[in-house]
Every structure is written in C-alpha cells, then in structure tokens.
Amino acid sequence: MNVKNLLLPLSLLSLSALAEVEYKLVIEQSEHHLGNVSVIFPKSAQAHLDIKLPDWRTGRYEVLNLANGIRYFDATDHNGDALNWEKIDKSTWRVHLDNPTQVQVGYQVYANELGKRARHIDDSHAFIDASGFFMFSESFRQEPVTVDLDVPAQWRSVSGMDFAHDEHSFKAKDYDTLVDSPIETGINELHKFKVDERDYELVIWGQGNYSVDQMLLDLKRLVKTGSLIWHDYPYQRYVFMVHSTSGARGATEHINSTIIQRHRDTFAKREDYVSFISTAAHEFIHTWNVKAYRPAGLVPYDYTNPNYSDLLWLSEGSTSYLEDYLLLSVGITNYQEFFSNLTHTLNKHLATPGRQVQSVAESSFDKWINKGGDHGKNYSTNIYQEGAMVSLALDIDLLAHSNGEVSYKDVHSQLYKQFQLPKSFTSNDVKNILRNISGRDYSQWWEQHINSPLALDIDILLEHVGLEFSRPANAKPIASLDLITKNEGQVLTIEHVARNSSAWQAGLTIADKIVAFNDHHVRDNLNDSLAYFKGGDKVKVDFIRRDKLMSTYVVLDSDFDKRKKVRAIALPNASQQKLFKAWAGIAHPFAN
C-alpha cells in the first residue's frame, strides 16, 4: 500500500472539480479493515490550513476519538509537491502553505468499529459515516462535496445523498450534509418503494431471520405517520439501512436515512420484530426532531468538541415516547404491545434510584460524561428513559387541562414550524410554546419536573387516560436484596446494589462474590437462593472480597415475583375515553 499514490497532481483534475471538496475512498485491504482516503481542498491563500477529523458523530453524544485509526498522513500542493505539516492536537493536522494553492491530503483509515456506526470495512461491505473517514476544514465546510468510492466490482453503494459521477459516487451541498448522510456499500439487497410521491429504499447487509415483505409492509405504513404531528416532510427521498449482524446493535438517525443494527436472529419473534419496527419509528421521528429542529448548543455542530444542551431529553426521550404513539395509531402494534412498552418504561424508571438524584435537564447536559453501571444507576438517569417519562407527564398534563384539545404533539409541531435549522431553540422557547398553545404558564411545572429530579404520581397520571398501573392478582410476595448478580460457577457476583437498600446498608457492594446464605451454598441465581426466606428475615451473607472470605447480616427487603403492569380500566368514563383517544390516536379498548 502506498498512500502517496493517491496524491496525484491537481493539474490533472478537471477545472469544474476545483470549486468543491473532493473525497475518494479506495478499499484495497478489506479483510484487514483498511481504506485509503484522499481529499482535495480548493485553493487557499491562508498561511496554513487546519484539517480535522471529527471527535464524535452526530446522533451519539460521546467523544469517540475517531482519529486514532488514521495513519500515513501526507499533503501536497497543486503541482503534487509535498507540503509541510504538523499534528497540533489529537484530531487536527496543520498544513503549512508558502503560497496560495490547492491542497490534497491522503491517509489510511482503520475501520473496524461496526457497533459505533462510524466506520467499518470488511470483505463483504463498508459502512461509511463521514465522521469516521473524511477530514474537513472549517474554511471549506460550506462548500459542495463529492465522494468517489473505489470498491470491489460486485458491491452496490447506497446513500441518502444523490449520485454524482456513477453508481459509486455521491454529492452533497456541504460537509454537514455529507457527515449526516452515511453510505452503505457492499454485498446487500435493495428494495425501493414510493409513498405519497416520496421515494424510499430499504437496504439490508447480512443474512438473518427477517421477513422483507413484513418490513416493507410496515415501513410503508410508518412513513405515512409524519403528518400526524408535523405539517410537511423535510425530505423527498429516504433510506432505511439495516445491518443484520452477529453482534452489533443499535441505531442512528440521519437527515435522509437511518442505520439500524440488530443480531441476525432477532427479527422473527413478534417481540423482536416489534423492537425492530419501534427502532425504525424512533429514527424516523428524528428526521424532524433533531435533524430538522434541535436545541441551541447543537447548532451548528462542533465536530471536535462536546455540544452541550439541557434539552437532549427532548431530542431523544421525547422521540422514544412518540414512537409508540405512531406505531399504535396506524395499527403496526396493538394495545397490549403499546401497554407492554409503557409498562417497561415505568418499571425501569422506578427501578433506577438515580431518578431521585439527577434531573432530566442535568442528565441532558451531562450526557457526554454520564456512564451506566452501578454508580450510574444509583446516582444518574438517562435522557431516553427519563426523557420519555417527562414527555408522558407533559403530554397528559396538556391533555387533561385542555379537555383533549392540546397535546405534546402540538409542541413538536410548533418547534418544527418556528425553529427549523439553521435556527435553534432554548428551554425558554419551549416554555413559550407551552404557554401559547395552552394558555398556561409552565415555568413552575418545568422547575418541578425538568430542572428537579422527577417525582410523579403515576396512578393519578394514568387515570386521566383510563389506565391503571397495578400488580397482577397472582403476584406472590418474595424476599429481596435489591441486588443484580450474575452466576460465576460457585458464586453469585454482585453487579449492582440499589442505593439505600438493606444490602447497601449492610455494606455489600459490586464485585463481592456471594458464597452462602445462613451457611448454605448459593443456588444458580439469586431468586432461587432467597426462595426459603421472606421479607424481614435477618440472614447471614458469606461473600468473598479481595480474595478474603467475609460475612455480614442483612434484613431482607420485601418484593413481589411480578412487576406492576399497565392495563386499561374496564369502565372508563366519557372524559377518560376522550383523553385516551386524543393521547393514543385510537379509541380506548373499552370505549362504549
């Protein structure tokens, strides 16, 4: 491999190409996850040109240090002569210019991070998010760009961008569009369809137990739901990219496409399929919420620094909340699946002690540093879970005080009307919208539910829409330690201890290896080990810490073997029926 071979004299290029930034990716050693990139920047009269690779990618609020896969960087002028350069920070290369010139740089990319959805190359495909492959200069960030791919002959290239020179070439109006328009190239299957005069594509890489017919049927129904919230569509063409893999999972939204990753065997079961189509709905909603309007602090994107906002809960958590509404409203999911998802959200909220410590606004701002694990669960929350809870509370509050005439969907409709990019919005802007559509001042509500740890009366909240949150009649009381453990042969290793639980008070902590209760060896799991006790019993716990056998006494907590579930009230009154329909988009299950 010789990256310098990519640095051809710029005089060989057509004059028409010199007005734009040109990218080329050559994939030669796919089995080793390697690609060679060249970038041609227009003529510059600056003393130097700073060329950067993003530190993070849109849709994932986490510094990824993507420049760690770059090697063999080089730079030449318009004659192909070498230019002096130096690396001034972990993701910036400064190219020095003695005279005005166009600049071409070349470098190698190591792309083997499929799960981060930023860069991946193997012998069957390449997933190309520009943030992981293509450097940029702020000086030319607004210039048009083209991307040419040199890939194996049997590969097919798909992107939300328009084609440029050929079937492996794309163009975009600027770098921001490029960085938000991933490319899937490789051995894949492609399905095209049209709905309401807009063009759609479904491209699938990898084999799995999915049904293309079912996916297409529901995607066609899903894409019609945008009009249930917003007044128009911000695209004419949209691509659903699906990776059916052996490990990577997750999804990311983009301005004209989404990438969804799932294990190849998690499509066929109904609950697995609902998870897939829910993810598709989530990313589809992002086409408006985030990609068409987003909070101040994220406009414009700063690709080399964290972008802070106390409204990421609205960007992500509200999207999670609205996805269930869209799916139910058009019959992709049914009542029980809708209630099951809401049950999961409520129980996860209640099982997170961090909800009593960190507000959803704080969680939004700290998204860049918040981590999961034992401490995270005890002292933090997250923008998805808690954002969905706040959205639920705000939606039902609006509906209840307006007799079903105003909802949280109206908030997002107004955000799209008033704050489309390049505008951005603040918390005060959202509160102004709430006041304008409801006639009520939401400042105090905001302080209590968003700027403070969320404390809700779930029973009263759900009662407004004719639902209840109750435990199954056959639920049985059990003893509990409020621990999460995993079996490691002869011991149960603690992975989480709920803050202020009896186990916490007794001093048990993560990584402790429980050996026995009351001198009897533990069973294969914690519940079986506690089956002979009841809440309130005082038990001796033998455990290993730092390779030393230790003991403590714990008074067991009380719990039930079944969690509470959301269910419809059998005899809803007229108000509950009206609010349920305004909330869910369809009639209450027991409407008369």
Side-chain angles (χ1 to χ4, degrees):
M1 188 280 299
N2 187 350
V3 174
K4 291 188 176 181
N5 290 337
L6 294 173
L7 308 182
L8 301 175
L10 296 176
S11 58
L12 298 179
L13 299 171
S14 65
L15 294 177
S16 62
L18 299 181
E20 60 192 13
V21 180
E22 292 192 330
Y23 294 91
K24 184 172 184 179
L25 171 63
V26 179
I27 298 178
E28 292 180 334
Q29 302 179 66
S30 59
E31 68 277 12
H32 297 300
H33 316 291
L34 296 173
N36 300 325
V37 175
S38 64
V39 190
I40 301 171
F41 294 99
K43 186 175 182 179
S44 174
Q46 301 169 204
H48 62 261
L49 193 66
D50 284 347
I51 300 172
K52 307 176 182 181
L53 192 73
D55 268 346
W56 64 285
R57 62 156 180 76
T58 65
R60 182 166 181 151
Y61 308 103
E62 175 187 355
V63 173
L64 299 177
N65 292 319
L66 296 167
N68 61 13
I70 303 299
R71 297 292 185 271
Y72 302 113
F73 182 92
D74 208 346
T76 60
D77 64 12
H78 66 282
N79 292 317
D81 295 328
L83 293 169
N84 292 325
W85 60 271
E86 59 182 321
K87 195 172 183 182
I88 61 172
D89 63 36
K90 62 187 175 68
S91 57
T92 304
W93 290 256
R94 176 166 291 172
V95 179
H96 296 279
L97 309 178
D98 295 330
N99 298 294
T101 183
Q102 293 157 340
V103 176
Q104 180 172 356
V105 300
Y107 49 90
Q108 181 191 79
V109 175
Y110 176 68
N112 191 25
E113 294 176 337
L114 182 63
K116 293 182 178 179
R117 294 178 294 286
R119 56 185 185 194
H120 189 253
I121 296 172
D122 68 15
D123 57 353
S124 68
H125 93 133
F127 178 71
I128 304 163
D129 185 303
S131 59
F133 283 85
F134 300 138
M135 296 184 184
F136 72 101
S137 169
E138 291 287 356
S139 300
F140 301 110
R141 182 169 163 176
Q142 306 303 319
E143 300 301 318
V145 302
T146 60
V147 178
D148 290 311
L149 305 178
D150 187 343
V151 297
Q154 69 272 29
W155 285 19
R156 172 168 42 214
S157 299
V158 182
S159 175
M161 292 183 287
D162 292 332
F163 286 110
H165 311 127
D166 55 44
E167 62 183 355
H168 298 296
S169 176
F170 299 94
K171 60 183 178 181
K173 66 177 182 178
D174 51 33
Y175 184 80
D176 291 277
T177 303
L178 170 64
V179 85
D180 229 337
S181 306
I183 302 168
E184 172 62 34
T185 180
I187 301 170
N188 53 57
E189 57 178 300
L190 178 65
H191 305 273
K192 299 182 179 182
F193 58 98
K194 186 182 287 286
V195 176
D196 295 334
E197 302 306 313
R198 283 178 287 274
D199 296 312
Y200 297 90
E201 297 176 19
L202 169 63
V203 58
I204 305 173
W205 167 69
Q207 302 299 311
N209 62 358
Y210 51 81
S211 165
V212 171
D213 290 341
Q214 185 67 54
M215 293 165 76
L216 290 173
L217 173 65
D218 287 336
L219 289 176
K220 289 175 183 178
R221 291 195 284 179
L222 172 63
V223 298
K224 294 176 71 69
T225 62
S227 58
L228 297 177
I229 301 176
W230 302 280
H231 65 279
D232 66 21
Y233 283 64
Y235 62 83
Q236 185 56 39
R237 177 171 163 266
Y238 191 90
V239 179
F240 291 94
M241 300 177 180
V242 176
H243 287 169
S244 178
T245 76
S246 58
R249 62 184 183 89
T252 302
E253 74 278 3
H254 294 283
I255 56 174
N256 46 32
S257 58
T258 183
I259 170 64
I260 301 172
Q261 296 176 327
R262 294 184 65 82
H263 191 281
R264 63 183 77 258
D265 296 327
T266 58
F267 291 90
K269 290 182 181 178
R270 178 60 188 176
E271 58 266 35
D272 288 338
Y273 180 74
V274 169
S275 175
F276 161 74
I277 200 65
S278 296
T279 301
H282 182 101
E283 308 309 330
F284 177 65
I285 291 169
H286 273 317
T287 311
W288 290 268
N289 184 20
V290 171
K291 294 310 175 183
Y293 56 88
R294 61 177 173 262
L298 280 74
V299 181
Y301 284 134
D302 180 346
Y303 299 118
T304 56
N305 291 290
N307 291 212
Y308 295 106
S309 169
D310 60 0
L311 287 169
L312 283 181
W313 67 265
L314 188 149
S315 298
E316 292 293 348
S318 295
T319 300
S320 296
Y321 172 69
L322 291 171
E323 73 190 48
D324 292 332
Y325 159 74
L326 292 189
L327 295 175
L328 179 67
S329 64
V330 293
I332 294 176
T333 56
N334 58 39
Y335 288 114
Q336 292 309 312
E337 289 163 342
F338 179 72
F339 294 154
S340 176
N341 286 339
L342 182 54
T343 293
H344 176 76
T345 299
L346 295 176
N347 279 318
K348 192 171 182 182
H349 164 76
L350 293 174
T352 304
R355 65 185 167 84
Q356 300 166 331
V357 178
Q358 189 177 56
S359 73
V360 72
E362 292 172 322
S363 179
S364 294
F365 194 87
D366 284 349
K367 176 64 179 72
W368 296 87
I369 59 173
N370 266 358
K371 298 295 182 184
D374 180 65
H375 182 266
K377 192 169 184 178
N378 276 324
Y379 290 95
S380 306
T381 184
N382 70 72
I383 58 176
Y384 296 89
Q385 170 189 308
E386 212 68 356
M389 288 296 300
V390 167
S391 301
L392 170 67
L394 184 52
D395 198 8
I396 294 181
D397 188 85
L398 286 165
L399 288 163
H401 283 89
S402 67
N403 195 27
E405 299 302 317
V406 177
S407 78
Y408 188 49
K409 296 182 285 293
D410 297 314
V411 174
H412 282 268
S413 176
Q414 288 300 314
L415 285 171
Y416 182 51
K417 288 179 179 178
Q418 298 181 35
F419 295 100
Q420 287 190 45
L421 296 174
K423 295 180 181 179
S424 62
F425 60 89
T426 65
S427 296
N428 284 335
D429 292 321
V430 181
K431 285 183 277 188
N432 287 336
I433 288 175
L434 287 167
R435 184 179 62 249
N436 292 337
I437 65 176
S438 71
R440 298 167 57 227
D441 185 352
Y442 268 82
S443 298
Q444 185 175 356
W445 193 99
W446 197 274
E447 286 300 317
Q448 292 177 342
H449 295 82
I450 294 173
N451 289 341
S452 302
L454 183 62
L456 293 175
D457 189 322
I458 294 173
D459 293 330
I460 292 178
L461 190 71
L462 296 183
E463 185 180 3
H464 285 299
V465 291
L467 301 179
E468 62 180 4
F469 188 49
S470 58
R471 210 173 297 280
N474 61 349
K476 299 177 181 179
I478 60 171
S480 170
L481 273 175
D482 264 347
L483 299 176
I484 297 176
T485 62
K486 66 176 179 180
N487 182 290
E488 292 189 333
Q490 299 298 309
V491 299
L492 297 177
T493 300
I494 298 176
E495 295 185 317
H496 170 66
V497 185
R499 180 172 50 83
N500 293 333
S501 65
S502 58
W504 173 281
Q505 299 295 343
L508 292 172
T509 190
I510 58 170
D512 286 349
K513 302 178 187 300
I514 300 176
V515 177
F517 292 110
N518 282 355
D519 299 323
H520 287 80
H521 192 267
V522 293
R523 302 286 184 103
D524 289 342
N525 61 70
L526 186 60
N527 286 340
D528 287 348
S529 299
L530 297 176
Y532 299 99
F533 303 102
K534 62 181 184 297
D537 286 349
K538 184 177 182 179
V539 301
K540 178 188 175 188
V541 181
D542 295 321
F543 61 97
I544 297 171
R545 180 185 294 173
R546 296 187 299 273
D547 296 328
K548 181 181 178 181
L549 183 64
M550 306 174 72
S551 298
T552 188
Y553 285 88
V554 182
V555 176
L556 297 176
D557 296 318
S558 296
D559 201 353
F560 289 87
D561 63 345
K562 292 181 174 62
R563 290 186 171 186
K564 289 184 176 182
K565 292 184 177 181
V566 173
R567 44 182 102 227
I569 294 173
L571 296 173
N573 60 38
S575 174
Q576 290 171 326
Q577 293 181 44
K578 181 176 181 179
L579 292 187
F580 183 93
K581 187 169 185 179
W583 173 61
I586 63 174
H588 189 280
F590 300 115
N592 51 35

